[in-house]
Amino acid sequence: MNHPSKNTGFERMLVVLGLLSGFGVAAHAQTASDVTPPSLAQSLSCLVRKEKPPVYPNELERSRAGGFMRVQLHFHQADAAPLVDVLTNTAAPEMQEQVFRFLEGYRLPCLTSTEGPVKAVQEFNFTNTQREPLPLARQNKDEFCVVMPREPIEAPTPWPGDRDVEHVVVVLGFHGDGKQPPDVKLIHSTASKRFEDVVRERVAKYRMPCRTGAEQPRFVEQRFSYNPPGVRRYALKRDVLGLGEFLGMTAGIRGVNADFDFSTMNCPFKVDYSILGPHLPNEVRAGKPDPNRAAFLKWLSERQLAFASDKQANELFGEVLQIQVPCGTLKLEAEAQS
C-alpha cells in the first residue's frame, strides 16, 4: 500500500523580456546599452490569474509519477488569454488539462497596443512523493525539449487472465530537426506484443521542437508500465530511507566489502535510486556531478534489493527510493564463508 503523501503541484515563473533590446557601440573601448526599465506589462506586474493553481490530480493519487511542463506564453491583448506554445512536456494528460485550464484564466490588463506581444516562460512541476528534488545537473549545450502528445496513451484492452504488470523500456534517438520522429530501440520488455505496439505508436508522436538538425543526436530513455485493471500489486510503503535501512533491504549484504568516508563527499547528501534490477543496471543520481562520490554511487547502484519473488521484482520495477547518506564512514567486511 502506498504511503500517503501530500498532493502538490507547484509552479515557477521565468520572465523573458523579449521586448528589451540591447545594443553595443564601439567608441574608445566603451559600450552603451539600453537601460530603459520594463513597462508594467513587460514585467508582468499586472498579471491576473483567474483560476486556482494546479494540484496533483486526484485520479493519479496512488501513483508517484511526476510530470513537468515548460510553456511559452504570448500575450497579444489585454483582455485575452495568452497563446501557449509547449516547449517541454512529460506530464500526464490529467496534469496537462489542469495547466491549460489555469493558463486560460491569465490576463495582462495593462498591456497596450503599442507594446506588442509580451512573452513569458513558465514551468509546472507535479510531484506526489516524500522525496526531495535533487539539485539539477547542468544541461547539455543542446536544450532538452521533448514534447509528448497531449492525449492519453491508449492502454491495451485486457485479456481474460491478464494478471501481471507489464514494463517496456525504450531509447529514443532524435537525429533530425524538430519535425522528425525519433528512432526507437526497445531495450527491455516484460510485456505482450500488444503493449509493445502501443508504446511504439506513442513514442512515434514525440518531437524535440528546439532542434534545427545541426545538433548532435540526443538520446532519451523512457519506461512505460501497464497495470491490468483491478490487479493489486506490490508498492513501497515509504520511498525515503536512511542508508543503513536501505542496505538492510539488499541481497547478500553480509558478503560485501565497503570502505567509504562521506566527509570527502560534501555530506550529508541524498541519492535517488531507481529499481531496475535484476534485468537492467539500477540507476542512481545525487544531483550535480561530484567526482568524489563516483565510486560510492557505482557501488550503491550494484546493490540489489532482496526481492521476495520474481513477481515482486517485476512489480517494483521502475520505483524510485531516496537514500539519505549521512556524514561519517561506511565500513563493511565480508563475512567468511563457512
Side-chain angles (χ1 to χ4, degrees):
M1 188 176 200
N2 281 332
H3 185 78
S5 55
K6 184 177 180 180
N7 294 338
T8 59
F10 58 88
E11 54 177 3
R12 180 158 56 97
M13 174 70 85
L14 304 177
V15 181
V16 179
L17 301 178
L19 300 182
L20 291 181
S21 59
F23 59 90
V25 179
H28 305 290
Q30 295 180 353
T31 60
S33 60
D34 187 351
V35 292
T36 304
S39 69
L40 290 177
Q42 291 168 350
S43 63
L44 302 182
S45 297
C46 66
L47 179 65
V48 174
R49 297 188 269 194
K50 300 181 179 181
E51 301 290 337
K52 294 181 179 180
V55 297
Y56 199 92
N58 290 332
E59 308 94 295
L60 304 178
E61 185 174 358
R62 297 185 63 185
S63 170
R64 289 199 177 102
F68 177 79
M69 291 186 70
R70 180 184 294 119
V71 297
Q72 186 171 61
L73 311 177
H74 303 259
F75 293 91
H76 292 270
Q77 299 178 27
D79 59 350
L83 300 177
V84 180
D85 287 335
V86 178
L87 305 179
T88 304
N89 172 27
T90 61
E94 296 87 349
M95 300 172 184
Q96 297 180 51
E97 290 302 321
Q98 288 207 31
V99 169
F100 286 115
R101 184 167 59 249
F102 181 57
L103 296 175
E104 287 173 0
Y106 276 23
R107 297 293 185 274
L108 202 60
C110 59
L111 179 64
T112 66
S113 59
T114 59
E115 289 179 296
V118 169
K119 299 179 182 179
V121 172
Q122 187 162 17
E123 295 179 350
F124 296 84
N125 190 18
F126 292 84
T127 182
N128 184 33
T129 175
Q130 293 180 317
R131 301 192 309 271
E132 295 182 8
L134 299 180
L136 293 176
R138 181 179 299 177
Q139 291 186 339
N140 292 337
K141 182 178 179 181
D142 298 335
E143 184 182 1
F144 183 81
C145 61
V146 173
V147 174
M148 295 164 44
R150 184 172 177 179
E151 67 272 11
I153 186 170
E154 293 287 341
T157 301
W159 285 3
D162 280 357
R163 304 295 300 172
D164 294 327
V165 179
E166 300 182 4
H167 304 286
V168 175
V169 183
V170 294
V171 172
L172 311 179
F174 292 87
H175 297 271
D177 60 23
K179 298 180 181 179
Q180 301 298 315
D183 296 335
V184 182
K185 181 179 180 181
L186 193 152
I187 63 171
H188 174 69
S189 176
T190 61
S192 64
K193 186 177 183 303
R194 291 178 298 139
F195 188 49
E196 291 178 358
D197 290 343
V198 166
V199 170
R200 291 182 186 277
E201 292 174 7
R202 174 72 169 185
V203 297
K205 300 176 183 178
Y206 284 22
R207 296 294 184 272
M208 194 174 276
C210 60
R211 290 184 61 87
T212 65
E215 303 89 349
Q216 293 294 318
R218 291 295 304 274
F219 296 92
V220 178
E221 181 179 308
Q222 187 167 13
R223 298 187 289 270
F224 294 83
S225 296
Y226 170 64
N227 191 36
V231 175
R232 299 186 64 182
R233 55 179 292 189
Y234 288 102
L236 299 168
K237 292 183 178 180
R238 293 188 296 119
D239 58 358
V240 178
L241 303 172
L243 176 60
E245 187 178 10
F246 168 77
L247 293 177
M249 296 168 56
T250 59
I253 192 63
R254 295 182 181 276
V256 173
N257 291 304
D259 187 358
F260 296 104
D261 183 356
F262 300 127
S263 65
T264 66
M265 304 181 194
N266 193 23
C267 64
F269 58 96
K270 298 177 175 64
V271 177
D272 280 355
Y273 171 100
S274 297
I275 304 171
L276 302 180
H279 304 291
L280 293 176
N282 299 305
E283 294 179 357
V284 297
R285 188 175 71 85
K288 297 179 180 179
D290 184 338
N292 294 318
R293 298 174 180 172
F296 170 68
L297 294 180
K298 180 179 183 298
W299 179 87
L300 198 63
S301 72
E302 295 168 352
R303 310 279 68 80
Q304 300 284 1
L305 292 184
F307 299 113
S309 62
D310 290 343
K311 176 179 175 62
Q312 186 184 62
N314 180 60
E315 295 183 0
L316 292 179
F317 180 88
E319 295 287 319
V320 180
L321 290 168
Q322 188 163 87
I323 303 168
Q324 298 172 321
V325 181
C327 290
T329 60
L330 173 65
K331 294 183 180 294
L332 299 176
E333 187 173 339
E335 294 182 357
Q337 298 294 325
S338 57

